[in-house]
Amino acid sequence: MKASPFSLKGKKVLVTGGASGIGLGICKGFARLGCSVIVSDISRTAGEHAAKLLRQKFKVKSAYIHCDLTKATSVADLAASAKKAFGRVDILVNNCRAGQPKPFDQETEGNWDLNLDTMAKACFFLSRGILPLMPAGSSIINISSVLSYAVGGEAPSYHVAKAAVDQLTRYLAVQCGSKQVRVNAIAPGFIVKEPHLKRFHSKASDEYRAIAHYAHPSGAIGFESDVANAAAFLASDAARFVTGQVLVVDGGLTIQEPFMLLHGLGSKPVQRKRRRG
Ligand SMILES: NC(=O)c1ccc[n+]([C@@H]2O[C@H](COP(=O)([O-])OP(=O)(O)OC[C@H]3O[C@@H](n4cnc5c(N)ncnc54)[C@H](O)[C@@H]3O)[C@@H](O)[C@H]2O)c1
């Protein structure tokens, strides 16, 4: 029987910032599908813990490789260590983030550099460094954000870095095309991560939670697994004709007319009002 184009069994995956948050969710998603996973992160303790968890829970090969993505030498070392550990990389996920969510008047040069270095610069240099390890049919997935095109509460440099990630995605897709390597991005919206679930569902968050549900057309909330599932699709042969694209995974949050949303928020409990005209 022909293998499903969605199958990823046996693929070798490298995820940056894979020790926690969405990165860890992506690692778990690929491990659940039978992939071997390199968890790369600046945090050794969390990274080793994550790799152990993947081995124990999903019975797959997994290793932690230390990397500080702000340092070019560390990025080069990561590519060399990945080659030593797995021989090849079928799927690279540039997921890491590091800067702080500073408002307009509190942005600093250090935070600017950190955001641009970990998200845009590392995305380019690591992708270029890993490319020689990627056989035909491989895939690079960059984690962007809806803030690459919409304005939100993150730092100015975060918005700029994510816009850079989207354009890098198209640039790399063209450059890697002749090697039969596809490059795509995922732009998540509002994601409630596992460590925040308890607070999100607490009584104190009733109003915040109601707004979060209201802001999404179906009322659905996004989790790490939603980003992981999108990554699995983009990495699979089912997406063989998809490259250079930014897939928005936001439950419809950013497709709505803001006036209609704000108008509906005038009543309590928060409900969607029917839109006129
Ligand atoms: N959380 C959201 O709601 C959301 C929404 C849209 C997009 N995103 C994007 O998803 C990705 C993951 O976000 P997250 O919220 O899970 O982040 P996070 O802060 O929870 O995790 C980031 C990981 O990167 C690691 N890291 C930090 N600095 C590093 C460095 N210099 N070198 C290597 N690793 C380093 C951290 O140790 C951590 O494990 C980011 O690209 C982020 O912009 C997140």
Side-chain angles (χ1 to χ4, degrees):
M1 202 171 60
K2 228 176 141 190
S4 161
F6 291 97
S7 171
L8 289 168
K9 206 170 167 40
K11 298 286 184 195
K12 298 174 192 265
V13 186
L14 166 56
V15 182
T16 68
S20 62
I22 291 175
L24 178 57
I26 292 171
C27 289
K28 287 182 188 168
F30 280 117
R32 186 172 286 117
L33 295 168
C35 300
S36 308
V37 182
I38 293 175
V39 179
S40 181
D41 206 283
I42 197 168
S43 168
R44 193 174 293 281
T45 315
E48 281 172 350
H49 183 265
K52 189 173 168 192
L53 181 142
L54 299 180
R55 286 193 297 271
Q56 291 180 341
K57 188 164 177 193
F58 302 104
K59 313 286 175 229
V60 294
K61 230 178 117 182
S62 180
Y64 164 71
I65 299 180
H66 177 82
C67 182
D68 178 353
L69 289 170
T70 62
K71 296 191 167 60
T73 48
S74 193
V75 171
D77 289 349
L78 172 56
S81 306
K83 185 177 181 183
K84 212 182 274 175
F86 279 5
R88 65 170 210 269
V89 173
D90 301 301
I91 301 159
L92 166 65
V93 185
N94 288 303
N95 161 80
C96 169
R97 69 156 302 174
Q100 298 297 312
K102 293 186 185 292
F104 170 75
D105 55 350
Q106 284 166 37
E107 179 67 294
T108 61
E109 194 181 352
N111 197 54
W112 184 282
D113 290 345
L114 194 54
N115 268 327
L116 270 291
D117 282 356
T118 52
M119 294 193 274
K121 192 164 96 177
C123 174
F124 173 74
F125 284 102
L126 185 63
S127 299
R128 199 177 67 177
I130 294 291
L131 190 60
L133 307 182
M134 303 189 99
S138 297
S139 181
I140 297 174
I141 296 163
N142 301 322
I143 305 303
S144 178
S145 165
V146 293
L147 300 191
S148 65
Y149 59 89
V151 176
E154 288 280 357
S157 51
Y158 182 92
H159 294 72
V160 172
K162 290 306 190 186
V165 166
D166 289 3
Q167 181 62 346
L168 253 179
T169 299
R170 292 181 278 268
Y171 178 84
L172 290 171
V174 172
Q175 295 299 329
C176 301
S178 62
K179 277 210 71 188
Q180 313 303 316
V181 172
R182 295 178 298 105
V183 186
N184 289 290
I186 296 171
F190 176 79
I191 301 293
V192 180
K193 297 186 285 183
E194 212 176 307
H196 304 151
L197 270 176
K198 204 169 161 200
R199 186 166 36 132
F200 183 74
H201 287 293
S202 71
K203 187 94 192 88
S205 300
D206 276 356
E207 199 174 337
Y208 177 78
R209 198 171 56 252
I211 292 171
H213 284 297
Y214 172 78
H216 296 82
S218 73
I221 297 297
F223 304 109
E224 294 98 323
S225 55
D226 293 303
V227 183
N229 290 339
F233 162 67
L234 287 174
S236 75
D237 275 354
R240 61 169 283 278
F241 203 46
V242 181
T243 193
Q245 302 304 306
V246 181
L247 177 59
V248 177
V249 178
D250 74 344
L253 177 71
T254 57
I255 55 166
Q256 303 165 97
E257 181 202 339
F259 181 79
M260 180 270 289
L261 270 173
L262 291 168
H263 182 59
L265 274 172
S267 62
K268 275 194 179 180
V270 177
Q271 275 177 349
R272 282 185 165 263
K273 280 190 175 172
R274 281 192 78 185
R275 189 181 171 185
R276 279 191 268 150

